[in-house]
Amino acid sequence: MYFVTTWREELAPKDHMTSTDSAGSRTGASNLRVLILTSTALLMVFALGATLQFEFVIRSFVDFWFPRYLPHRLGINITSVLANALCLWAFRVHLIHRRKWAVLGAIAAGAVAAGTRVTLQLSLGLHDFSELPVWQTELFTSWFAGTTANLVALTTMWTRRRAEEQARAAATNELHVHYALQALAHEEIRVRREVAEGLHGSLQQRLVLIARRIEEVLHHLEQREVTDADVTMLKQAVADMEVAREGDVREMSRLLYPEAIEIGMVPAVRSLLGRLPTMIGTRLVVSDAVRRLDDPAAPALSQTERLLAVRVVEESVTNALRHGGASRLDVVIREEGGRLQMVVTDNGSGYDPEDESSSHRSGLARLHDRLAIVGGSLEISSMPGAGATVTAWLPLEGVESGRS
């Protein structure tokens, strides 16, 4: 197999880099806010619940007086929650891209918060240091609660960040597609303008001069007064016609059809993909059999087959950009059983091929009719949100006989 892969990247200007850095700092601050608020909210619920449970439930079996240490426990728990939030900020957990290190940072923050809580409890006399099982249990439960809250907050931050990245990617792809369609529209307008200027400009002027010279010669023929100057004028008219044919008409025909189509179908398709904007990733895969059929030295493909094949690829690419918002295009061209197969796959939004009212069908429907006339076919495989694949089959005249 012959692979021609095109990956393009466009260098960002400095102002774009500055805006990207600013957006990155805003994203980092937003991630930190989500991480700390989520973790703090969960730990505050745990702290309040643990305090009330210990003072009103566990200690109620000892005495029925008002819990003296309730303010102390609340203050200690709030302090440990703040210590956890401070550690999350100090460890830069929200900026770590490798999840393993981010998880370790969350676990470490929970450990520091648990150590802070137990240290304050021992220093204020809420527990005796000799009561080893008691403060060890407090240490473990505090660490477990802090780590769990941090991991939940970390997961929430990751989920939110992933959603924001997908939204930014979708917006970027939409912008790229907009630029791609704009470039194609400008190219079409440029070709139409050049063809119109060529028809109404130089070609029309040449034809007027040629007609005038021929009329003069005809007039002299009618008067039977043909001179050497008339012969020279007639030769000049023939020369002007040759110039118009070689220059103006041939040049305008190249505007209407890809110039590379005269070399072969594959160069024309490569030229088509090469005209797309740099932000659209393309990949062209051509089989060895097609390369032999499209060999410029001994081409087995007719001009009609080349143009129809290029037209199928062009219409599929246009639909992928205009309607699917694709940022990646894969084109595969192969030959099987005397038929040329063209497969165009995109990563766009996709659509329902059964929807008869869909605007995607207009251009491809015309191509389907053209292929059907020559015994070919065209199939569309797509579903909303999953991109689209256009597969076309074009029978090749004389391929089997050429092989035999």
Side-chain angles (χ1 to χ4, degrees), residues 6 24 57 117 238:
T6 304
V57 178
R117 181 170 183 263
V238 173

Side-chain angles (χ1 to χ4, degrees), residues 301-315:
L301 299 177
S302 66
Q303 189 76 354
T304 301
E305 291 169 343
R306 292 180 182 179
L307 290 174
L308 188 53
V310 173
R311 186 71 182 93
V312 169
V313 176
E314 182 181 18
E315 186 66 28

Side-chain angles (χ1 to χ4, degrees), residues 36-92:
I36 290 182
L37 289 179
T38 304
S39 176
T40 301
L42 293 175
L43 283 180
M44 287 299 293
V45 173
F46 167 77
L48 182 60
T51 301
L52 296 178
Q53 181 184 25
F54 188 86
E55 292 295 335
F56 288 98
V57 178
I58 298 178
R59 290 182 61 87
S60 63
F61 292 103
V62 180
D63 56 64
F64 295 95
W65 299 99
F66 180 80
R68 298 182 299 174
Y69 299 107
L70 179 61
H72 301 77
R73 293 188 182 278
L74 284 177
I76 291 172
N77 288 339
I78 292 175
T79 302
S80 65
V81 171
L82 295 178
N84 179 78
L86 182 62
C87 289
L88 290 176
W89 170 80
F91 295 160
R92 295 293 189 269

Side-chain angles (χ1 to χ4, degrees), residues 276-310:
L276 296 178
T278 56
M279 67 283 294
I280 304 297
T282 61
R283 180 170 176 262
L284 175 61
V285 181
V286 183
S287 68
D288 292 335
V290 173
R291 292 178 60 199
R292 289 190 295 268
L293 293 173
D294 199 47
D295 186 1
L301 299 177
S302 66
Q303 189 76 354
T304 301
E305 291 169 343
R306 292 180 182 179
L307 290 174
L308 188 53
V310 173

Side-chain angles (χ1 to χ4, degrees), residues 135-146:
W135 66 264
Q136 283 185 342
T137 302
E138 288 279 3
L139 182 64
F140 175 76
T141 55
S142 300
W143 170 80
F144 181 79

Side-chain angles (χ1 to χ4, degrees), residues 5-319:
T5 306
T6 304
W7 291 99
R8 308 182 182 112
E9 292 182 359
E10 188 175 25
L11 295 178
K14 291 184 178 180
D15 55 348
H16 176 70
M17 294 177 62
T18 303
S19 62
T20 302
D21 294 339
S22 178
S25 62
R26 290 196 300 269
T27 302
S30 176
N31 289 335
L32 177 63
R33 184 167 57 252
V34 171
L35 180 66
I36 290 182
L37 289 179
T38 304
S39 176
T40 301
L42 293 175
L43 283 180
M44 287 299 293
V45 173
F46 167 77
L48 182 60
T51 301
L52 296 178
Q53 181 184 25
F54 188 86
E55 292 295 335
F56 288 98
V57 178
I58 298 178
R59 290 182 61 87
S60 63
F61 292 103
V62 180
D63 56 64
F64 295 95
W65 299 99
F66 180 80
R68 298 182 299 174
Y69 299 107
L70 179 61
H72 301 77
R73 293 188 182 278
L74 284 177
I76 291 172
N77 288 339
I78 292 175
T79 302
S80 65
V81 171
L82 295 178
N84 179 78
L86 182 62
C87 289
L88 290 176
W89 170 80
F91 295 160
R92 295 293 189 269
V93 176
H94 62 291
L95 298 178
I96 300 176
H97 292 284
R98 299 191 63 177
R99 297 197 172 189
K100 177 178 67 175
W101 296 110
V103 170
L104 291 177
I107 295 174
V112 172
T116 301
R117 181 170 183 263
V118 172
T119 300
L120 291 176
Q121 287 178 343
L122 293 175
S123 62
L124 294 178
L126 299 183
H127 298 298
D128 191 347
F129 190 78
S130 60
E131 298 176 351
L132 185 62
V134 176
W135 66 264
Q136 283 185 342
T137 302
E138 288 279 3
L139 182 64
F140 175 76
T141 55
S142 300
W143 170 80
F144 181 79
T147 299
T148 301
N150 290 341
L151 292 180
V152 172
L154 198 59
T155 302
T156 303
M157 185 194 73
W158 284 338
T159 302
R160 183 176 181 273
R161 184 165 63 188
R162 187 183 304 110
E164 290 179 347
E165 290 174 353
Q166 291 175 351
R168 284 196 298 269
T172 302
N173 289 338
E174 183 178 356
L175 185 62
H176 289 174
V177 170
H178 172 73
Y179 288 149
L181 294 175
Q182 195 175 48
L184 291 176
H186 289 169
E187 179 68 13
E188 180 181 0
I189 293 174
R190 182 190 67 82
V191 171
R192 289 177 180 271
R193 182 183 296 114
E194 291 188 11
V195 171
E197 291 175 353
L199 290 175
H200 295 284
S202 60
L203 180 58
Q204 179 173 316
Q205 292 175 0
R206 290 182 190 276
L207 293 177
V208 169
L209 292 175
I210 292 171
R212 183 67 56 84
R213 287 169 181 168
I214 293 177
E215 287 176 357
E216 291 181 6
V217 173
L218 289 175
H219 177 71
H220 289 169
L221 284 174
E222 292 174 354
Q223 301 296 327
R224 299 184 182 275
E225 298 177 357
V226 178
T227 62
D228 292 339
D230 293 328
V231 175
T232 302
M233 187 180 301
L234 192 59
K235 290 181 179 180
Q236 183 63 40
V238 173
D240 289 341
M241 290 177 62
E242 187 65 18
V243 171
R245 184 186 67 84
E246 286 291 333
D248 299 329
V249 176
R250 189 180 181 89
E251 183 63 27
M252 283 183 291
S253 68
R254 289 177 177 176
L255 291 174
L256 295 176
Y257 295 97
E259 183 177 359
I261 199 69
E262 300 178 1
I263 304 175
M265 175 197 62
V266 176
V269 173
R270 189 182 296 116
S271 176
L272 169 66
L273 297 179
R275 293 198 303 268
L276 296 178
T278 56
M279 67 283 294
I280 304 297
T282 61
R283 180 170 176 262
L284 175 61
V285 181
V286 183
S287 68
D288 292 335
V290 173
R291 292 178 60 199
R292 289 190 295 268
L293 293 173
D294 199 47
D295 186 1
L301 299 177
S302 66
Q303 189 76 354
T304 301
E305 291 169 343
R306 292 180 182 179
L307 290 174
L308 188 53
V310 173
R311 186 71 182 93
V312 169
V313 176
E314 182 181 18
E315 186 66 28
S316 301
V317 169
T318 302
N319 276 350

